[in-house]
Amino acid sequence: MGINIVEKILAGHLVSGNLTPGEEIGIRIDQTLTQDATGTMAYLQFEAMNVEKVITELSVSYIDHNTIQIGFENADDHCYLQSVALKFGVVLSRAGNGICHQVHLERFGKPGKTLIGSDSHTPTCGALGMIAIGAGGLDVAQAMAGEPFYLACPSVVRINLHGQLPPWVSAKDVILKVLEIFTTKGNVGTIFEYGGDGIASLSVPERATITNMGAECGVTTSVFPSDELTRLFLSSQRREQDYTELKADDDAAYARIIDIDLSQLEPLTAKPHSPDNIGTVHSMKGIPVSQVCLGSCTNSSYKDLVTVAKILKGRTVHPDVSFILAPGSRQVLDNLARDGYLADLIASGARLMENACGFCIGNSQSPRSGAVSLRTSNRNFLGRSGTMDADVYLVSPETAAVAVITGRFTDPRDLDMDYPQVQMPKNPVIDDSMIIWPDHADSSIEICRGPNIGDPPSNTPLPDILSGQVTIKVGDKITTDHIIPAGARMKYRSNIPRYSEFVFENVDTSFANRALALKEKGIHNIIVAGLSYGQGSSREHAAICPMYLGVRAVIAKSLERIHAANLINFGILPLSFLKDSDYDAIDQGDELEIPGLKATITEGRQLIVQNKTKGSSFPVTYNLSPRQKQMILAGGALNVRSSQ
Ligand code: MIC
Ligand code: SF4
């Protein structure tokens, strides 16, 4: 039997395990990426590993997230990242050069290679036919040190795209359709592999919109074949030498195959407050819109922004709308400027922002109270925009542009104009002068360490009896944005005691104080959660900060992949309920005890949780490989490393 694209790449990189879905495998990592919000901690951890230089083919550090500099903290982090990159031989993409995923796609991604990145949207580069996976910073640090990346061997779902998109329907609508089908829950351990005749009409940046938001489904990654369109894209980037063809064998097997007819799609939107809350734009018609934000790593390619420029040419932003524009990369901005489209956008009333994440993480451009905000980004979790009572809808650039003019949710097909055709520039401006390429690692470089930059914290070994309290009980789909907010709080990322003050800030403001008080009394904190706990970002701070507050276990109906791996890396036990009724029977404040942890986990037996408050007990499961058991028992990955 033939093999699929995922198997081809994984087989070529396998260093341990077998390609049997569910089994832990170790793979060699060719490339890594970090961004500043997760990067400082990742490089602090790398420093703690006492390795002289990065051992990958390519490691790139991007400064794109915390680029708003109110106070010294973010600027200090940038300085740290620049010095550490020079010291260890990491390529640095400076602030202003663009969003990591867009820049990596343009300048570095290569078909057939493996990439891990400390950002959940790393799968964007799957558009080039690579296995690109989001991971916690510590996993990325270990890969930079030449260690394999471990994951549960995924099962592969084939998504066949057929036909061609109708006018005014674009790649964003395709991935919103995929989200409607698969939702944000229940896809852990899966990879989406795209195929079908329809992909021949989707350029690499359009494919990237689709792979980018696979992250919202919680899949390990998404991948497209590398074909003639990939070659054209790489050649326009003057990197044709990086091209290799990559396709699935005709008789390749898949865990599941689904078909989507592109010609039947219509403009879609993800309604508040989840990327899988899908509705048609048509059914939203008429809702007044007060903000439109165009950009983010999902939809800020040259094609996206030129499409919008053509729609807006000669028209002006509606008086009730604030129109924010953040190009994905300096390359996109350069080319918009060269080709005259920037002038059209500015003439329409666009508020031009930096080439960075910006509004997408809510560090700026929070909408007004009660606003309806249309955004081309990938996440609309409650409060992420910085305004708790705003309604954020995720839409395509086309739907966004039309709302800029009408001030209302409008089906773009109703606009009285022909759908603009956009040609990719054959000879784009390519200027890498905001990228610093170290010739070699230089141990004499002195690291720039501002006062906000602390040591990476580590945990203590797992106690034999976990004796604690349910400090918080939460429901389904708790995202890492709920656990540790981003936005304006992100500047504390390098200072764990300070950042920890904001754990569950948007869910329960007294959590951090309660947890710390219990920790000081020697009582373990336990989090109880529903389905899909930890969805969203790769933020390892959603594990590190709870660890700092004394959280020792999370018991959930189910946990998302990256978050579960982060919990293990920092010595927090991820446990799952066997029955929903056991979740129902627990209350916040209950005292729980789990005895005999060391022997039970070592021998792989079921753990029994005693609820001392209720006088009852219930079993829980865990899914830990021998390597992960060692980490949990030692209190985290750094402890394992230092004991070797
Ligand atoms: C996000 O989109 O939430 C982020 C900010 O890019 C995160 C990374 C982070 O928390 O720094 C992600 O998606 O992993
Ligand atoms: Fe940046 Fe937003 Fe993309 Fe995260 S989702 S990498 S914050 S643009």
Side-chain angles (χ1 to χ4, degrees):
M1 193 172 28
I3 53 175
N4 57 45
I5 297 172
V6 172
E7 290 163 336
K8 285 187 185 181
I9 303 178
L10 291 181
H13 289 82
L14 199 64
V15 291
S16 67
N18 298 308
L19 290 182
T20 311
E23 202 176 289
E24 185 175 87
I25 53 170
I27 56 170
R28 183 170 41 82
I29 294 301
D30 302 320
Q31 302 189 346
T32 63
L33 72 78
T34 55
Q35 36 88 337
D36 51 302
T38 51
T40 311
M41 199 47 70
Y43 293 104
L44 286 166
Q45 287 158 352
F46 184 80
E47 280 191 80
M49 291 175 190
N50 290 321
V51 182
E52 238 169 69
K53 59 177 174 108
V54 292
I55 301 178
T56 48
E57 286 176 14
L58 174 82
S59 286
V60 190
S61 168
Y62 292 90
I63 300 180
D64 57 354
H65 274 63
N66 294 342
T67 54
I68 304 282
Q69 293 163 217
I70 299 173
F72 60 90
E73 293 90 346
N74 289 343
D76 281 3
D77 278 0
H78 302 174
C79 182
Y80 168 78
L81 290 169
Q82 188 156 332
S83 62
V84 99
L86 286 173
K87 190 173 180 97
F88 295 119
V90 174
V91 176
L92 184 98
S93 172
R94 301 185 60 198
N97 199 45
I99 305 173
C100 52
H101 310 302
Q102 176 72 22
V103 178
H104 210 84
L105 189 78
E106 290 166 352
R107 306 307 301 140
F108 301 109
K110 286 188 192 173
K113 297 284 181 184
T114 54
L115 162 73
I116 66 165
S118 59
D119 190 284
S120 61
H121 292 102
T122 304
T124 309
C125 277
L128 284 169
M130 55 191 316
I131 293 287
I133 304 178
L138 185 51
D139 283 334
V140 177
Q142 286 176 323
M144 289 192 288
E147 288 177 23
F149 174 62
Y150 296 95
L151 72 162
C153 179
S155 61
V156 186
V157 172
R158 165 89 170 219
I159 303 184
N160 283 323
L161 304 178
H162 301 289
Q164 267 194 333
L165 288 168
W168 300 102
V169 181
S170 63
K172 181 63 153 281
D173 302 306
V174 178
I175 188 61
L176 291 177
K177 185 73 195 173
V178 171
L179 269 151
E180 184 180 58
I181 298 169
F182 287 91
T183 80
T184 57
K185 300 193 299 279
N187 303 307
V188 174
T190 303
I191 292 186
F192 290 158
E193 182 176 309
Y194 287 87
D197 60 275
I199 62 170
S201 60
L202 295 171
S203 65
V204 167
E206 290 169 289
R207 296 174 182 184
T209 297
I210 296 173
T211 49
N212 174 279
M213 272 189 90
E216 274 49 71
C217 294
V219 293
T220 306
T221 189
S222 303
V223 65
F224 273 83
S226 168
D227 57 12
E228 183 53 16
L229 290 180
T230 321
R231 193 188 64 73
L232 284 174
F233 176 80
L234 289 171
S235 123
S236 77
Q237 291 291 327
R238 284 169 224 138
R239 308 202 278 127
E240 195 166 345
Q241 72 282 5
D242 290 343
Y243 173 70
T244 38
E245 191 192 16
L246 192 64
K247 58 177 183 189
D249 295 340
D250 291 339
D251 54 348
Y254 295 91
R256 183 178 167 195
I257 300 179
I258 69 146
D259 294 275
I260 296 178
D261 183 352
L262 297 178
S263 67
Q264 293 303 311
L265 295 185
E266 63 173 305
L268 297 173
T269 177
K271 299 178 281 181
H273 298 285
S274 177
D276 63 357
N277 189 13
I278 306 298
T280 63
V281 171
H282 194 71
S283 64
M284 304 293 138
K285 206 166 151 175
I287 298 178
V289 169
S290 51
Q291 185 190 51
V292 174
C293 297
L294 191 68
S296 89
C297 57
T298 317
N299 272 126
S300 56
S301 65
Y302 180 85
K303 176 177 184 289
D304 289 334
L305 302 196
V306 173
T307 306
V308 173
K310 290 190 173 208
I311 297 171
L312 296 184
K313 190 175 169 74
R315 309 183 202 233
T316 317
V317 57
H318 188 278
D320 296 341
V321 175
S322 172
F323 172 32
I324 308 302
L325 168 67
S329 68
R330 187 159 166 268
Q331 184 188 110
V332 168
L333 184 61
D334 277 349
N335 286 288
L336 284 179
R338 182 195 66 176
D339 299 344
Y341 296 112
L342 186 61
D344 294 336
L345 286 162
I346 289 175
S348 76
R351 298 172 60 187
L352 185 61
M353 303 287 140
E354 211 174 346
N355 315 315
C357 298
F359 71 82
C360 178
I361 17 163
N363 70 10
S364 55
Q365 303 310 325
S366 299
R368 69 160 170 76
S369 300
V372 167
S373 175
L374 264 52
R375 299 178 167 217
T376 61
S377 45
N378 47 37
R379 292 188 171 145
N380 58 347
F381 303 142
L382 182 70
R384 181 173 165 100
S385 68
T387 305
M388 278 309 276
D389 63 355
D391 277 345
V392 176
Y393 291 77
L394 307 177
V395 296
S396 69
E398 290 81 353
T399 301
V402 177
V404 167
I405 309 166
T406 61
R408 296 181 174 272
F409 240 117
T410 308
D411 188 331
R413 295 170 300 179
D414 293 345
L415 196 69
D416 189 17
M417 85 178 258
D418 288 338
Y419 184 53
Q421 297 302 323
V422 177
Q423 294 305 322
M424 293 300 285
K426 287 233 159 40
N427 199 10
V429 184
I430 292 175
D431 171 4
D432 287 336
S433 57
M434 291 294 278
I435 296 179
I436 300 177
W437 310 79
D439 297 335
H440 54 84
D442 182 352
S443 58
S444 71
I445 299 279
E446 196 161 323
I447 292 181
C448 170
R449 233 180 274 275
N452 189 47
I453 299 179
D455 290 332
S458 55
N459 210 342
T460 49
L462 191 72
D464 197 38
I465 303 176
L466 199 146
S467 164
Q469 208 180 84
V470 179
T471 328
I472 191 165
K473 180 177 176 184
V474 289
D476 292 346
K477 300 214 284 192
I478 290 295
T479 71
T480 48
D481 279 345
H482 289 108
I483 304 171
I484 187 84
R489 302 296 188 205
M490 263 194 172
K491 69 175 185 179
Y492 299 121
R493 285 258 178 130
S494 310
N495 181 343
I496 298 301
R498 180 83 174 99
Y499 200 29
S500 298
E501 291 170 20
F502 306 108
V503 173
F504 284 120
E505 186 189 22
N506 292 333
V507 179
D508 176 347
T509 42
S510 64
F511 174 83
N513 284 338
R514 267 196 338 259
L516 213 50
L518 288 177
K519 181 187 173 186
E520 274 156 19
K521 287 193 210 141
I523 301 171
H524 299 127
N525 288 287
I526 300 168
I527 295 171
V528 167
L531 286 169
S532 196
Y533 182 73
Q535 55 170 252
S537 96
S538 65
R539 206 167 296 164
E540 63 186 348
H541 294 76
I544 303 179
C545 295
M547 172 194 95
Y548 177 81
L549 297 177
V551 172
R552 228 36 261 214
V554 174
I555 314 178
K557 288 186 188 170
S558 68
L559 288 118
E560 289 299 307
R561 175 188 67 86
I562 306 181
H563 186 58
N566 285 338
L567 290 174
I568 298 166
N569 276 347
F570 292 95
I572 299 178
L573 199 50
L575 302 171
S576 305
F577 288 103
L578 285 173
K579 293 198 298 277
D580 285 0
S581 53
D582 292 334
Y583 167 87
D584 297 338
I586 295 191
D587 288 307
Q588 191 162 309
D590 282 1
E591 271 178 52
L592 305 184
E593 192 169 288
I594 318 180
L597 280 173
K598 290 184 186 162
T600 315
I601 291 178
T602 311
E603 289 157 22
R605 284 182 285 115
Q606 200 164 61
L607 284 169
I608 304 293
V609 182
Q610 285 159 12
N611 187 331
K612 301 216 135 182
T613 310
K614 301 272 157 57
S616 57
S617 64
F618 60 93
V620 286
T621 56
Y622 49 89
N623 187 4
L624 299 173
S625 68
R627 190 186 56 85
Q628 290 174 321
K629 283 182 185 170
Q630 196 194 359
M631 277 201 270
I632 279 291
L633 295 173
L638 284 177
N639 292 355
V640 172
R641 216 186 148 86
S642 57
S643 69
Q644 279 165 355

